[in-house]
Amino acid sequence: MSRKVVEIAGRRLSLSNLEKDLYPAYGFTKAHVLEYYRRIAAFILPHLKDRALTLKRYPEGVEKAFFFEKRCPSHHPAWAKTAELRRDDGERMTVCLVNDLATLLWVANLASLELHVPLARAGSPETPDAMVFDLDPGEQADILDCARVALILRDLLARLRLASYVKTSGQKGLHVYVPMNRSEMTFDDTKTFSKAVAVIMQKNYPDLVTAKMAKEYRKAKVFINWSQNDAKATMISVYSLRAREKPFVSFPLEWRELERLAGLGDPEKFQVTHAEAVSRAEKTGDLFREVLAKKQKLPHL
């Protein structure tokens, strides 16, 4: 097993199997994965900071078996920050916090291609910073249908004086985030509100939207998954790689770009590759920065 020791901001990090092809159909090695996360670090780290990371590890690449790891591996470097969370059964669990470049690259070196985080920070696990609408296309629906739903949702939220921000899931759907950033917010608040909005959307667009979880209701429709507004749930982080045949990224879009893409009518145009993600982020900055900063209140429906 090949190893290379590097120093990052005074931290020594041993990198292994850099030549391992983690995306075999594309020829994207672990070295490429590490380089992507190094270059996107300035944009992704604020969205990972102080959040309990769930690692999704692909030690043999995206075509082979993967596993989730909620607990921080016991062999984590002494300098990597962690937090203690209490599980439902009362047991305490140590979780990883990816707060700096060295920790980000350590996680990537474990072949955790996808980085999943909760909507709350580890220090306030019951207080969501944002509300999310996870738009998931059912059979015979696609990301173009998700785009239609996202644009309707944007306008509905705007009438309620709520700003929203959209990103690709990096797979088949879209995620619409509504920043809250208020200490009094609870997951009960955001889940109740998001479910009510999903039900309203289903009532007004019955041929396009479902708010029901059961698979049989999703055919040719977009499921608005309001249940992600939960302390136990995690979302793929913005700027994270996805474990697909190509190294696509969950990437933020401006609303006018979503409108343009919807008009093109080609689902493939929504996919953002690793190289495009870096060049676009460096050019435009973080289009999701307001999700971390903007304070909003939920109105009464």
Side-chain angles (χ1 to χ4, degrees), residues 184-217:
E184 70 272 19
M185 192 60 59
T186 69
F187 279 105
D188 281 345
D189 295 332
T190 54
K191 184 181 280 189
T192 300
F193 187 94
S194 60
K195 183 177 182 180
V197 169
V199 169
I200 289 167
M201 292 276 287
Q202 176 184 267
K203 182 178 179 181
N204 285 281
Y205 302 93
D207 296 331
L208 179 63
V209 170
T210 182
K212 296 177 181 176
M213 291 197 186
K215 294 275 188 188
E216 61 262 30
Y217 295 109

Side-chain angles (χ1 to χ4, degrees), residues 69-300:
E69 204 164 7
K70 283 188 173 290
R71 293 180 182 276
C72 197
S74 57
H75 56 79
H76 67 266
W79 41 259
K81 287 188 166 55
T82 61
E84 297 290 317
L85 294 182
R86 193 175 294 279
R87 291 157 48 110
D88 288 346
D89 59 9
E91 184 187 356
R92 298 187 75 79
M93 177 172 67
T94 302
V95 295
C96 297
L97 304 179
V98 180
N99 289 0
D100 54 49
L101 175 60
T103 308
L104 177 62
L105 295 186
W106 170 70
V107 165
N109 186 60
L110 296 177
S112 180
L113 303 179
E114 297 189 356
L115 307 179
H116 295 252
V117 287
L119 293 167
R121 297 178 192 270
S124 50
E126 300 299 325
T127 306
D129 298 318
M131 176 173 61
V132 69
F133 295 89
D134 181 358
L135 308 184
D136 184 13
E139 186 186 345
Q140 296 179 20
D142 60 21
I143 200 167
L144 292 167
D145 299 298
C146 291
R148 281 182 63 200
V149 173
L151 291 166
I152 296 167
L153 192 53
R154 173 199 63 180
D155 294 344
L156 172 59
L157 293 167
R159 288 200 293 274
L160 297 170
R161 297 188 177 181
L162 290 171
S164 57
Y165 302 82
V166 65
K167 70 180 178 75
T168 68
S169 69
Q171 294 188 323
K172 297 178 181 178
L174 294 171
H175 299 152
V176 176
Y177 276 66
V178 182
M180 297 282 111
N181 297 305
R182 304 185 74 89
S183 59
E184 70 272 19
M185 192 60 59
T186 69
F187 279 105
D188 281 345
D189 295 332
T190 54
K191 184 181 280 189
T192 300
F193 187 94
S194 60
K195 183 177 182 180
V197 169
V199 169
I200 289 167
M201 292 276 287
Q202 176 184 267
K203 182 178 179 181
N204 285 281
Y205 302 93
D207 296 331
L208 179 63
V209 170
T210 182
K212 296 177 181 176
M213 291 197 186
K215 294 275 188 188
E216 61 262 30
Y217 295 109
R218 301 193 200 180
K219 191 171 182 180
K221 295 181 184 180
V222 174
F223 171 46
I224 299 181
N225 189 354
W226 46 267
S227 72
Q228 288 295 105
N229 294 289
D230 191 287
K232 298 188 189 75
T234 62
M235 295 291 295
I236 189 74
S237 175
V238 64
Y239 303 112
S240 173
L241 290 171
R242 298 309 304 256
R244 298 182 63 192
E245 70 283 358
K246 295 180 181 178
F248 292 127
V249 173
S250 178
F251 196 78
L253 305 173
E254 292 182 309
W255 283 112
R256 65 173 178 260
E257 182 181 9
L258 188 71
E259 291 172 347
R260 183 182 67 80
L261 291 171
L264 292 176
D266 181 358
E268 302 259 324
K269 299 287 187 185
F270 287 82
Q271 303 299 349
V272 178
T273 65
H274 65 99
E276 188 183 357
V278 170
S279 63
R280 286 174 60 166
E282 288 175 347
K283 181 178 178 181
T284 65
D286 179 11
L287 296 179
F288 243 46
R289 58 187 173 273
E290 285 297 303
V291 173
L292 299 175
K294 193 172 185 66
K295 294 180 184 291
Q296 300 189 109
K297 276 186 180 178
L298 289 177
H300 294 290

